[in-house]
C-alpha cells in the first residue's frame, strides 16, 4: 500500500474549506487513490475555525521559527463523506487566521501576500514537523498544491532539521501560475530571513528573477519538486511561453523555470477531472427561491453590512422572477478577479452589449461571486443600472448548485484558465458553455459540438468576437432548437473522469505502477 500526503490551502472534502477549483481537486483525487487501495492523508490550515467542528487532537507539534519556540496542534476532522483509507487533518495555530476571501485567503492590497505568507510559513513548518514526527506513518508521496504549500520544498532542501523529508517523492501541482507568493528575503516581518534566521539562504536558487531581493514561492515549487504538474495539457504549452498580456497569458515570468523542468522530464500537463458520482444537487426550479433564501441571512451578517443596501436591491430584483421567470438564463460563478473578468472590467461596454442582446430574448445574466473590491463595485453598479443583470454578491452552495442545474448557457470569459471546473459542472448538467479559447477551456469545450469559443489575435478582436459569438449563441437558441439540443446532449455525454487523470498521475507524477 502506497501512503500519500496532500498539502494544500483548500479541501472541499471538509465543510467550509473551499475558495476555488483547488478545493475540488484536493477533494476528488484522494478518493480515486483510495479506490486503488492506497492510503491518503489530506492536510490544510484550520484558519482558527475548522478544528472546532468535531476535530480530534492527534498531537502537539513544537518547532523553531523566528529564533523562538512555536507550538501548533494537529487535528483530525470529520469529512462531508467518509471514504476508506482517507484521513483529513487541519493545523491550528493562533496566527493562522481566516482571511476575507472565502474565510481562507487574505487580501493585502498594499503589500501582497504579507498575511498569507506568514500563516502558510507556520502551516508548512508544522506539517514538516508532523511528517518528521511520523504523524502520517511512512510516506511515499507528498503532493503539494500551489505556492501555499511549496515552502515544504524549501524546508526539505535547506533546513537541517527536516532532512528526513529528502527520502520522500514530492509532487507539485500548479493551479494558478499568476498567484506566486512573492515576499522579501529580508527586512520585513513577512520575510524569509525573519522566520528562518538560522537557515543559510540560497538567494540565487530561490529568487524571483524580476524582484531579486524576493523569494518566489511558486518558483520554489517548480525548481525543487520531483515532478511538476499543470492542470491541463494546453495550459502546459501556454506556460512554456512568455506572457504578452492581455492577448496571451503564459509563463508569467517563470517560463524559463518551466522550460527547464520540461527539458528535465519533470513537467506534465494532465487535465483535471470532474466528479460524476455522489453529486450534491439542487431541486429543479429553485434558483430564484434559493437566491432569496441566501440573501436574507447575509443581511444579518455584520461583515456584509457595507453592502446590505445592495443585497436588498438584489432581493427586490429577484422576487418578481419567482412568478415570471426569464426565457433564457446565462450564468457565471467565479471569484471576482482579473483572471475571470478582465474583459468586463476593461470593456464594460461589452457586458452592456451582451445584456442588451439578452433583453431581446427576455434573458438574464446571473453572476455569483465575491473578490476584488473594484470588481465587486463594477458589478454592483451594473446591477443597479441594468434590470436583467443579477449580481449575487456572496457565496452559497445551494445557489451555485441551482445555477449549474438551471442556466441555459454557462459563460466563462476568463483571460486565462489553467483548467477550469465550472465548465465541466455545467456540461455535466447538459448545458453548452461559451468560453474564451485558452488553456483548459479549449481542452474541454469544442466549438459547435459541446459549446462555443471566442478568440482573437488582439484584445480588440477578442472583445468584438466575444459579443458577436454571444449573439450567435442566442440565434442558435432561438432559431435552431435541434442544434441547441444536440449541443446540450453532447456536453452531457462528455466525461472528464478522475480515473483517467489519476491513471496519468500514477504513471507520470507519482512514478508508481
Amino acid at each position: 500500500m502506497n501512503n500519500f500526503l496532500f498539502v494544500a490551502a483548500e479541501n472541499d472534502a471538509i465543510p467550509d474549506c473551499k475558495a476555488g477549483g483547488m478545493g475540488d481537486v484536493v477533494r476528488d483525487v484522494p478518493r480515486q487513490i483510495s479506490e486503488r487501495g492506497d492510503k491518503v492523508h489530506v492536510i490544510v490550515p484550520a484558519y482558527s475555525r475548522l478544528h472546532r467542528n468535531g476535530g480530534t487532537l492527534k498531537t502537539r507539534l513544537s518547532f523553531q521559527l523566528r529564533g523562538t519556540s512555536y507550538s501548533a496542534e494537529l487535528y483530525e476532522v470529520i469529512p462531508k463523506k467518509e471514504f476508506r483509507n482517507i484521513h483529513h487533518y487541519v493545523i491550528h495555530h493562533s496566527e493562522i487566521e481566516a482571511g476575507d476571501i472565502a474565510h481562507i485567503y487574505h487580501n493585502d492590497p498594499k503589500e501582497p501576500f504579507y498575511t498569507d505568507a506568514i500563516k502558510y510559513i507556520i502551516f508548512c513548518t508544522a506539517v514538516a514537523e508532523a511528517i518528521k514526527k511520523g504523524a502520517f506513518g511512512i510516506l511515499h508521496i507528498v503532493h503539494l498544491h500551489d505556492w501555499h504549500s511549496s515552502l515544504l520544498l524549501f524546508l526539505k532542501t535547506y533546513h537541517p532539521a527536516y532532512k528526513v523529508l529528502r527520502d520522500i517523492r514530492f509532487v507539485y501541482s500548479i493551479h494558478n501560475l499568476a498567484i506566486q507568493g512573492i515576499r522579501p528575503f529580508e527586512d520585513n516581518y513577512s520575510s524569509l530571513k525573519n522566520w528562518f534566521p538560522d537557515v543559510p539562504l540560497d538567494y540565487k536558487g530561490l529568487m524571483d528573477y524580476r524582484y531579486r531581493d524576493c523569494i518566489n514561492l511558486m518558483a520554489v515549487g517548480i525548481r525543487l519538486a520531483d515532478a511538476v504538474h499543470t492542470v491541463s495539457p494546453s495550459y502546459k504549452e501556454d506556460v512554456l511561453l512568455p506572457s504578452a498580456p492581455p492577448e496571451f497569458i503564459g509563463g508569467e515570468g517563470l517560463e524559463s523555470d518551466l522550460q527547464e523542468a520540461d527539458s528535465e522530464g519533470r513537467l506534465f500537463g494532465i487535465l483535471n477531472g470532474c466528479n460524476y458520482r455522489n453529486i450534491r444537487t439542487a431541486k429543479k426550479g429553485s434558483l430564484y427561491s434559493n437566491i432569496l433564501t441566501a440573501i436574507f441571512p447575509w443581511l444579518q451578517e455584520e461583515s456584509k453590512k457595507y453592502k446590505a443596501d445592495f443585497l436588498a436591491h438584489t432581493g427586490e430584483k429577484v422576487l418578481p422572477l419567482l412568478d415570471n421567470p426569464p426565457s433564457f438564463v446565462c450564468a457565471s460563478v467565479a471569484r471576482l478577479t482579473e483572471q475571470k473578468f478582465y474583459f468586463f472590467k476593461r470593456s464594460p461596454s461589452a457586458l452592456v452589449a451582451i445584456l442588451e442582446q439578452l433583453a431581446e430574448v427576455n434573458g438574464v445574466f446571473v453572476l455569483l461571486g465575491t473578490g476584488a473590491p473594484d470588481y465587486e463595485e463594477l458589478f454592483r453598479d451594473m446591477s443597479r443600472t441594468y434590470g436583467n443583470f443579477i449580481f449575487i454578491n456572496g457565496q452559497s452552495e445551494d445557489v451555485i448548485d441551482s445555477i449549474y442545474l438551471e442556466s441555459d448557457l454557462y459563460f466563462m470569459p476568463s483571460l486565462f484558465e489553467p483548467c477550469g471546473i465550472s465548465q465541466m459542472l455545467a456540461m455535466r448538467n447538459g448545458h453548452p458553455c461559451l468560453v474564451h479559447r485558452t488553456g483548459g477551456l479549449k481542452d474541454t469545450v469544442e466549438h459547435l459540438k459541446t459549446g462555443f469559443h471566442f478568440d482573437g489575435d488582439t484584445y480588440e478582436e477578442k472583445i468584438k468576437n466575444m459579443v458577436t459569438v454571444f449573439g450567435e449563441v442566442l440565434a442558435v437558441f432561438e432559431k435552431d432548437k435541434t442544434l441547441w439540443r444536440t449541443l446540450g446532449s453532447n456536453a452531457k455525454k462528455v466525461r472528464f473522469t478522475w480515473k483517467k487523470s489519476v491513471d496519468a498521475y500514477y504513471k507520470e507524477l507519482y512514478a508508481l505502477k
Side-chain angles (χ1 to χ4, degrees), residues 182-186 203 207-208 210-215:
I182 300 169
R183 294 304 304 149
F185 280 120
E186 302 173 355
Y203 292 94
M207 74 166 57
D208 183 288
R210 297 154 297 179
Y211 311 101
R212 292 178 174 261
D213 60 343
C214 293
I215 184 173

Side-chain angles (χ1 to χ4, degrees), residues 159-218:
H159 201 302
Y162 298 111
K163 291 180 180 178
V164 67
L165 273 62
R166 298 175 190 174
D167 297 330
I168 307 168
R169 182 174 176 85
F170 275 72
V171 171
Y172 183 63
S173 284
I174 299 169
H175 296 272
N176 189 342
L177 190 65
I179 302 174
Q180 298 180 0
I182 300 169
R183 294 304 304 149
F185 280 120
E186 302 173 355
D187 300 325
N188 187 292
Y189 183 79
S190 178
S191 68
L192 197 64
K193 196 66 178 177
N194 179 59
W195 289 89
F196 300 99
D198 301 324
V199 178
L201 298 185
D202 176 9
Y203 292 94
K204 185 177 179 181
L206 299 170
M207 74 166 57
D208 183 288
Y209 296 138
R210 297 154 297 179
Y211 311 101
R212 292 178 174 261
D213 60 343
C214 293
I215 184 173
N216 184 314
L217 287 164
M218 178 65 78

Side-chain angles (χ1 to χ4, degrees), residues 22-152:
M22 182 202 301
D24 296 283
V25 174
V26 175
R27 176 196 67 210
D28 291 339
V29 175
R31 295 177 180 180
Q32 271 296 316
I33 292 173
S34 166
E35 288 191 7
R36 294 160 191 261
D38 286 335
K39 191 171 186 177
V40 194
H41 309 268
V42 186
I43 189 163
V44 295
Y47 302 112
S48 297
R49 57 188 176 85
L50 297 175
H51 62 299
R52 296 174 182 166
N53 298 328
T56 302
L57 179 65
K58 302 302 288 185
T59 188
R60 287 183 170 83
L61 305 163
S62 298
F63 45 93
Q64 292 291 309
L65 285 171
R66 296 195 301 119
T68 189
S69 296
Y70 267 65
S71 179
E73 297 163 351
L74 176 70
Y75 288 85
E76 186 164 2
V77 294
I78 301 170
K80 296 177 184 177
K81 293 180 181 178
E82 297 279 358
F83 287 83
R84 181 173 57 92
N85 286 334
I86 303 180
H87 299 270
H88 298 276
Y89 306 87
V90 299
I91 293 283
H92 171 60
H93 183 276
S94 60
E95 290 183 70
I96 306 177
E97 297 178 331
D100 51 337
I101 301 172
H103 304 293
I104 293 175
Y105 305 111
H106 278 81
N107 182 31
D108 286 319
K110 292 184 178 179
E111 197 172 338
F113 308 116
Y114 179 93
T115 308
D116 279 354
I118 292 169
K119 66 191 186 191
Y120 293 120
I121 285 171
I122 299 169
F123 167 66
C124 287
T125 310
V127 172
E129 187 64 32
I131 296 172
K132 178 182 175 182
K133 196 173 179 177
F136 314 110
I138 298 173
L139 291 170
H140 302 103
I141 306 289
V142 174
H143 194 151
L144 309 177
H145 296 266
D146 268 355
W147 76 267
H148 321 92
S149 59
S150 67
L151 192 91
L152 275 161

Side-chain angles (χ1 to χ4, degrees), residues 359-422:
E360 294 177 5
V361 298
N362 187 30
V364 299
F365 187 173
V366 179
L367 169 61
L368 180 145
T370 58
D374 53 340
Y375 279 84
E376 290 197 358
E377 184 177 354
L378 166 69
F379 292 133
R380 285 197 291 264
D381 289 344
M382 294 291 283
S383 178
R384 292 185 186 279
T385 304
Y386 295 92
N388 65 338
F389 182 59
I390 300 170
F391 177 36
I392 315 301
N393 194 195
Q395 295 290 337
S396 164
E397 280 195 84
D398 289 336
V399 176
I400 291 170
D401 288 344
S402 287
I403 286 173
Y404 286 131
L405 183 65
E406 298 190 44
S407 57
D408 296 291
L409 176 75
Y410 195 84
F411 191 16
M412 288 184 74
S414 306
L415 184 62
F416 65 96
E417 196 63 66
C419 177
I421 184 67
S422 293

